[in-house]
Amino acid sequence: MEVSTIENTERHETVLILDFGSQYTQLITRRIRELGVFSEILPYNVSFKEIKDKNPLGIILSGGPSSVYEEEAPRIGKEIFSLNVPILGICYGLQIITYLFDGKIMPSEKREYGLAKLKIISDSALFKGIPDSGSVWMSHGDKISNLPKEFESIAMTENSPYAAIHSKNDQYFGLQFHPEVLHTEKGKEILHNFLYEICCCHGDWSAESFIDDSIKKIRDEVGDKRVLLGLSGGVDSSVVAVLLHEAIGDNLHCVFINNGLLRYNEAEEVEETFRNNFNMNLTVVDSSREFYKELAGVIDPEIKRKKIGNTFIDVFEKEAKKIGQFDYLAQGTLYPDVIESVSFKGPSATIKSHHNVGGLPEKLNFKLVEPLRELFKDEVREVGRKLNMPEFILGRHPFPGPGLAVRIMGNITEERVQLLQKADAIYIEEIKNAGIYDEIWQAFSVLLLVQTVGVMGDQRTYEKVIALRAVTSADGMTADWYPMPYDVLGKVSNRIINEVHGVNRVVYDVSSKPPATIEWE
């Protein structure tokens, strides 16, 4: 497959984030974008030429798990300071700046993790309009023991006399604490000062500007050629579909494959939304029988995933050939996928290899259109809202690629899928009725492999068990179980047992991640 991803032709003003392995690196980037400035993550060991070619207005050095005095610690060259742009080091980034200017770092006798009280002791543009004291979030075991002669302290905590520093020319800054986390009071204002008071940004990054730029770039790249999109009905592919349709109209053709493992009535909703409301060219393929046949007797969740993926490829390839010739394949690749595909040689190990959605075979010979590859999930939703997309799509909870196959323990049959679809529809309906749907990151039902004894009327039953799951989370990496109100649980349980034939027991999952995962398989 020829990869010809649409690149920016008109670059926004940019602040670069050099990643030293912090768990908060993506959060820094999101905070910068929320403040109206485009930001991009690069590995700390990227070439100096690439940094220079990006022409950044400012650079942020992220935190990281290493100690700068360790032999294998990730470091950068001092040539970065020849760019003559403001630089902000956060946590480990502060230590890197100190190290490069010949200051001294040493292990702290008393490590700081959690909240600390910050006291501002010197005027600095970084703290313009910030109260003289407030709480900040610390996470470090090292501290500055000797400040470089070119720098001075501008804030301190009880354990850190150099909790914030700046160069005497007011161009380079370091924070021992994390301004990007919500626990830090006025953290967003500190970042705002760095962007607008120090880097002199104007703030040209927004959902509207992204849409305008993307439509122009798509038209310039694609022209009058045809684009094929595998539409799943999820947030990412749906926003891609509407954005592309705005740009190229009927030259976009969407294919929706019903694998029989979708949410209740989802195939009908997708058809109604995209064909009837948005007037898109849409081919709907019901391949549920094909998927059920492949999954018959399969218990292992990894084998389920592989069979679903392979079957999807086969069906998609066959349908694509039926529709005709296409030059481009559109995909809903997001910025975290792009970041994770980069092998950061150092503290940030490769998490997964980025690949074309569904693993579509190279012989289809498509060029790729990935208009969302610069966006985070929350930005995708905001773009969708600006495109007047329905909230029931944009605000819906995450749904796994293999669908209900990983929410049905054991064998997959049409009967078991339909049972779970009905139970899950009741669950989602009731938490929406209770007004708590948007408080929850993800809520869903699971069909268990066990059966239990029950009594209905005067008769003994031996029927299936439904488990309910609901979690809160910021990004899905960690999650807490949601304290579902008892009256909602009672109503959901009562409705499922009475309305879904074959279920006589409902249970609620109170496991957090870790140690459990969000999905059951």
Side-chain angles (χ1 to χ4, degrees):
M1 184 178 294
E2 182 182 351
V3 178
S4 178
T5 302
I6 291 176
E7 300 289 346
N8 279 334
T9 54
E10 298 178 12
R11 171 53 65 195
H12 294 272
E13 55 184 13
T14 299
V15 169
L16 294 181
I17 317 294
L18 297 190
D19 179 27
F20 290 89
S22 172
Q23 61 180 319
Y24 299 131
T25 299
Q26 289 191 31
L27 186 56
I28 299 171
T29 311
R30 290 171 62 181
R31 293 285 180 261
I32 300 302
R33 293 186 183 190
E34 287 169 7
L35 290 165
V37 177
F38 181 76
S39 64
E40 182 178 355
I41 298 172
L42 296 176
Y44 76 92
N45 54 1
V46 69
S47 71
F48 178 68
K49 182 181 183 302
E50 185 169 347
I51 294 173
K52 189 175 181 179
D53 288 347
K54 296 284 185 182
N55 195 28
L57 293 184
I59 296 172
I60 296 178
L61 310 180
S62 85
S66 302
S67 295
V68 73
Y69 47 77
E70 293 174 348
E71 186 175 345
E72 299 298 322
R75 302 189 185 101
I76 55 175
K78 198 170 180 178
E79 68 267 21
I80 193 171
F81 296 100
S82 69
L83 292 172
N84 199 33
V85 299
I87 296 176
L88 170 65
I90 296 175
C91 197
Y92 184 80
L94 168 141
Q95 296 173 29
I96 282 289
I97 292 174
T98 302
Y99 174 84
L100 290 172
F101 281 92
D102 299 321
K104 300 296 181 185
I105 305 292
M106 63 179 291
S108 177
E109 293 178 2
K110 181 181 179 184
R111 297 186 296 176
E112 279 188 303
Y113 292 99
L115 288 175
K117 186 63 70 176
L118 184 78
K119 182 179 180 182
I120 297 173
I121 59 175
S122 180
D123 289 339
S124 171
L126 195 62
F127 292 139
K128 181 180 178 181
I130 306 296
D132 289 342
S133 65
S135 296
V136 295
W137 186 259
M138 291 284 194
S139 180
H140 70 101
D142 300 325
K143 68 178 183 179
I144 299 172
S145 58
N146 291 97
L147 197 64
K149 63 183 179 183
E150 297 92 342
F151 286 77
E152 61 183 4
S153 177
I154 55 176
M156 61 182 292
T157 66
E158 182 180 351
N159 191 46
S160 299
Y162 308 116
I165 64 174
H166 72 174
S167 61
K168 292 173 184 177
N169 66 0
D170 223 24
Q171 190 165 21
Y172 309 129
F173 302 81
L175 301 175
Q176 186 63 77
F177 59 90
H178 290 272
E180 70 273 20
V181 303
L182 294 177
H183 302 78
T184 294
E185 294 177 1
K186 304 299 181 181
K188 199 167 185 178
E189 286 84 351
I190 293 171
L191 292 174
H192 184 280
N193 284 341
F194 179 70
L195 298 175
Y196 291 95
E197 299 294 329
I198 297 166
C199 298
C200 298
C201 296
H202 295 93
D204 65 355
W205 175 256
S206 65
E208 292 92 341
S209 68
F210 172 82
I211 291 169
D212 292 342
D213 291 349
S214 295
I215 288 174
K216 181 180 184 303
K217 286 181 283 189
I218 291 166
R219 287 172 178 167
D220 289 345
E221 169 74 13
V222 173
D224 60 358
K225 294 182 173 64
R226 300 179 75 205
V227 178
L228 181 66
L229 171 65
L231 182 64
S232 70
V235 175
D236 304 335
S237 70
S238 297
V239 173
V240 169
V242 176
L243 184 60
L244 283 168
H245 192 250
E246 287 280 327
I248 60 173
D250 287 344
N251 282 340
L252 171 69
H253 198 112
C254 300
V255 175
F256 176 78
I257 297 172
N258 181 358
N259 60 11
L261 304 166
L262 307 173
R263 301 173 179 94
Y264 186 70
N265 280 340
E266 186 168 12
E268 292 81 2
E269 287 178 355
V270 168
E271 189 162 6
E272 172 65 24
T273 300
F274 293 95
R275 176 180 287 150
N276 299 338
N277 291 354
F278 285 104
N279 299 310
M280 292 185 191
N281 292 324
L282 174 64
T283 296
V284 177
V285 184
D286 186 354
S287 300
S288 53
R289 300 290 179 195
E290 207 167 327
F291 281 86
Y292 291 149
K293 181 180 178 181
E294 286 295 319
L295 291 169
V298 177
I299 305 298
D300 185 281
E302 285 307 308
I303 298 177
K304 287 180 183 178
R305 286 184 172 88
K306 288 177 182 176
K307 284 186 172 289
I308 291 169
N310 291 336
T311 305
F312 174 86
I313 291 169
D314 292 342
V315 173
F316 190 90
E317 182 180 6
K318 182 172 61 179
E319 292 301 322
K321 289 178 179 177
K322 284 182 186 176
I323 299 169
Q325 183 65 38
F326 291 89
D327 297 282
Y328 290 89
L329 174 71
Q331 294 189 160
T333 306
L334 302 190
Y335 194 45
D337 299 322
V338 177
I339 297 168
E340 290 176 358
S341 72
V342 179
S343 181
F344 288 25
K345 295 177 175 62
S348 297
T350 301
I351 299 169
K352 65 179 180 182
S353 296
H354 178 58
H355 55 277
N356 299 330
V357 174
L360 295 174
E362 292 186 2
K363 62 185 177 182
L364 290 179
N365 198 32
F366 290 126
K367 296 177 183 178
L368 292 183
V369 180
E370 297 176 312
L372 306 183
R373 64 183 281 112
E374 291 182 334
L375 301 187
F376 290 101
K377 192 76 161 190
D378 53 344
E379 294 175 311
V380 173
R381 289 193 170 98
E382 185 59 26
V383 166
R385 292 184 180 102
K386 297 300 180 183
L387 291 169
N388 297 315
M389 293 179 62
E391 193 61 33
F392 80 85
I393 290 178
L394 299 176
R396 71 187 352 173
H397 293 171
F399 190 68
L404 298 182
V406 293
R407 294 177 179 174
I408 295 175
M409 306 296 101
N411 195 27
I412 307 296
T413 65
E414 184 176 8
E415 177 190 17
R416 301 187 82 210
V417 169
Q418 290 177 352
L419 183 149
L420 183 59
Q421 284 175 330
K422 292 175 184 175
D424 192 64
I426 290 170
Y427 182 31
I428 298 303
E429 180 183 337
E430 288 301 333
I431 63 176
K432 284 182 176 179
N433 289 342
I436 58 176
Y437 183 83
D438 292 336
E439 297 177 13
I440 300 169
W441 165 267
Q442 194 170 2
F444 57 90
S445 306
V446 180
L447 177 59
L448 304 189
L449 193 56
V450 299
Q451 292 185 238
T452 64
V453 174
V455 177
M456 290 187 176
D458 295 323
Q459 293 185 332
R460 176 185 182 277
T461 62
Y462 188 60
E463 293 182 332
K464 299 173 180 65
V465 180
I466 291 289
L468 306 178
R469 180 79 158 137
V471 298
T472 58
S473 179
D475 53 14
M477 300 299 292
T478 61
D480 292 322
W481 61 274
Y482 179 77
M484 189 70 66
Y486 289 163
D487 60 329
V488 177
L489 281 175
K491 188 176 291 186
V492 172
S493 175
N494 186 60
R495 282 195 60 193
I496 289 175
I497 291 171
N498 280 283
E499 297 177 31
V500 182
H501 180 71
V503 177
N504 68 359
R505 192 177 300 269
V506 175
V507 298
Y508 189 63
D509 182 350
V510 293
S511 309
S512 294
K513 176 187 179 181
T517 54
I518 296 177
E519 296 287 348
W520 276 47
E521 285 191 345

